[in-house]
Amino acid sequence: MPQLTYSGRVTEPILLPATDPHLDIRNLPKVSLHDHLDGGLRPATIIELAEAAGHELPSTDPVALGEWFRESADSGSLPRYLETFDHTIAVMQTRENLVRVAREFVEDLADDGVVYAEIRWAPEQHLQGGLTLDEAVEAVQAGLDEGVDAVEAGGRLIQVGQLITAMRHADRGMEVAELAVRHRTSGAVGFDIAGAEDGFSPARLADVFTYLAENQFPVTVHAGEAAGVDSIRDALVHGRALRLGHGVRIAEDIDVEFEAEDSQAADGGSDTEVGMVSIGQVAGWVRDRGIPLEICPSSNLQTGAVASFGEDIESHPIDLLYQTGFQVTVNTDNRLMSGVTLTGEFELLAETFDYDLDDILEFTMNAVDAAFLPLEERDALAAYVTEGFNQARG
Ligand SMILES: [Zn+2]
């Protein structure tokens, strides 16, 4: 792995050809903190539910439909990307369908080796079939519970919680926050805002975040994806975010200048470049206070969130953030639209940045620490994850 250094220095990532072929990431116990319910349906399920609801799709072939979702997400066109959610949300408007989608979501996560997941969705977008906000949350919880039971019946374990999202450009923030708090003992573990980041600061919802803080209810805020460092500052100041949804553009508050290092070192003098790192005030706050970043590598490339760093995964700032000591977690965002799994994202990172089992464990433990769970449950999860990684070491 690249050398991890502090004191303002970071080595340039060394790109090695391939990850350890024996590294079976899928079977490692993993933690998923940023995964949208309406972004992770099975194509075959969408087709079946759309047919029953009379909703027209771009394709009724599961493979072709899956491909359409990925192409749309990759198209660089925001309207086309947003259209993908029209189709998933259209088939998630009844109790029966929400139960099914939530159940399958949990089963798919477990198949991918996820042992703890916080699943986010915006109940306000699922009322067109006549459900109330509470009924929608109850339906999703019933599906999540069914999924957990099915996974257990199959001999594995998974624990899940709901992150209740409010759409930041809409005006139901307080209603949704109260909904989340109402369900804190029946599945809701945290609150999130999503939607148009640029131009819709959490300051608009200041009273909502005050209410949540007064109720000690955990908050993550989508920030540092479609907007930069100022948006992250707003998430921390006005949103009182305990985690940052993406947060990846915090890297814009870090300067790295690479220069050749004097090669007369005691190790025989390999020819290396070192980066001198200077960290801005907001980035310093996020790093030094250990505020977790919910990084979604493939999604970040598709949405252009990291375009200022380059177009390829090699230039994604996740490695810079990791090496300079940020609390980085790895996530999927929208598995259907991006055509990814958490295993796949780790494989991509392992190949690109030569991460090994220890790195994957560190990312996973960061996610365990960042989970909106009581300490005792985080400790138990940490022990379970450690045990799984130890088994993988053989
Ligand atoms: Zn997201």
Side-chain angles (χ1 to χ4, degrees):
M1 60 166 282
Q3 188 188 347
L4 178 61
T5 55
Y6 284 92
S7 66
R9 290 159 62 93
V10 57
T11 55
E12 192 171 24
I14 302 161
L15 304 182
L16 293 180
T19 183
D20 179 349
H22 304 296
L23 195 56
D24 180 2
I25 296 175
R26 188 165 178 232
N27 278 320
L28 293 172
K30 293 177 292 297
V31 172
S32 178
L33 299 180
H34 193 126
D35 207 335
H36 290 264
L37 184 65
D38 52 332
L41 288 77
R42 299 174 185 169
T45 298
I46 299 172
I47 291 165
E48 201 183 315
L49 299 182
E51 193 177 356
H55 175 81
E56 202 178 321
L57 293 170
S59 170
T60 53
D61 172 73
V63 175
L65 184 63
E67 192 65 25
W68 179 85
F69 275 104
R70 287 191 291 281
E71 279 175 8
S72 301
D74 240 350
S75 66
S77 155
L78 187 61
R80 212 179 140 190
Y81 186 68
L82 294 178
E83 188 196 337
T84 61
F85 289 94
D86 292 344
H87 294 299
T88 56
I89 290 171
V91 300
M92 297 168 68
Q93 299 296 335
T94 63
R95 175 180 167 87
E96 193 186 359
N97 289 4
L98 283 172
V99 169
R100 174 169 170 182
V101 166
R103 182 185 71 237
E104 292 179 353
F105 198 96
V106 173
E107 291 177 324
D108 291 350
L109 287 177
D111 275 346
D112 193 38
V114 172
V115 297
Y116 176 76
E118 292 177 3
I119 298 163
R120 68 185 69 201
W121 67 297
E124 66 194 86
Q125 295 187 306
H126 301 268
L127 309 179
Q128 292 156 27
L131 292 175
T132 64
L133 289 169
D134 287 279
E135 286 167 346
V137 170
E138 285 156 16
V140 166
Q141 191 58 40
L144 297 180
D145 291 343
E146 281 184 20
V148 169
D149 289 346
V151 168
E152 276 181 31
R156 281 173 305 177
L157 289 175
I158 188 168
Q159 185 180 356
V160 300
Q162 295 190 44
L163 291 177
I164 304 291
T165 296
M167 302 311 288
R168 62 202 302 159
H169 48 274
D171 55 5
R172 300 185 80 155
M174 185 59 92
E175 214 181 335
V176 175
E178 287 170 352
L179 172 77
V181 170
R182 212 156 49 237
H183 289 269
R184 72 189 310 169
T185 57
S186 52
V189 298
F191 178 85
D192 165 51
I193 57 170
E197 179 184 352
D198 210 6
F200 293 93
S201 164
R204 294 178 75 244
L205 300 168
D207 57 334
V208 175
F209 290 111
T210 297
Y211 164 79
L212 291 162
E214 284 173 352
N215 282 277
Q216 284 77 49
F217 197 76
V219 168
T220 177
V221 170
H222 274 81
E225 181 191 24
V229 178
D230 287 345
S231 174
I232 293 172
R233 185 193 285 111
D234 279 355
L236 298 167
V237 173
H238 303 290
R240 302 178 216 190
L242 299 179
R243 299 195 320 233
L244 294 167
H246 301 288
V248 64
R249 287 178 63 176
I250 197 64
E252 293 172 9
D253 202 28
I254 303 172
D255 275 333
V256 185
E257 271 183 45
F258 286 105
E259 48 191 59
E261 187 174 45
D262 183 359
S263 60
Q264 304 305 312
D267 65 357
S270 58
D271 210 10
T272 56
E273 287 210 318
V274 295
M276 302 306 293
V277 177
S278 56
I279 294 193
Q281 186 165 307
V282 179
W285 178 261
V286 170
R287 184 192 68 168
D288 301 344
R289 303 278 71 80
I291 295 162
L293 306 174
E294 302 162 358
I295 306 269
C296 309
S298 294
S299 169
N300 294 159
L301 293 173
Q302 287 175 316
T303 60
V306 292
S308 66
F309 297 89
E311 296 201 339
D312 303 318
I313 187 66
E314 285 80 5
S315 45
H316 193 293
I318 187 170
D319 189 59
L320 171 69
L321 294 166
Y322 177 49
Q323 289 199 55
T324 49
F326 285 80
Q327 192 84 350
V328 173
T329 69
V330 176
N331 303 276
T332 51
D333 208 11
N334 297 293
R335 286 180 282 114
L336 170 65
M337 286 72 177
S338 294
V340 297
T341 60
L342 192 51
T343 295
E345 292 297 89
F346 274 120
E347 286 172 347
L348 179 69
L349 295 175
E351 282 173 24
T352 307
F353 299 110
D354 194 33
Y355 293 149
D356 61 15
L357 199 62
D358 289 333
D359 299 305
I360 298 169
L361 178 59
E362 187 163 341
F363 289 125
T364 304
M365 282 304 183
N366 285 346
V368 171
D369 288 340
F372 289 156
L373 286 174
L375 181 61
E376 297 83 353
E377 290 183 48
R378 291 210 310 268
D379 285 348
L381 182 58
Y384 187 76
V385 165
T386 304
E387 170 69 21
F389 274 72
N390 282 339
Q391 280 174 14
R393 287 177 211 275

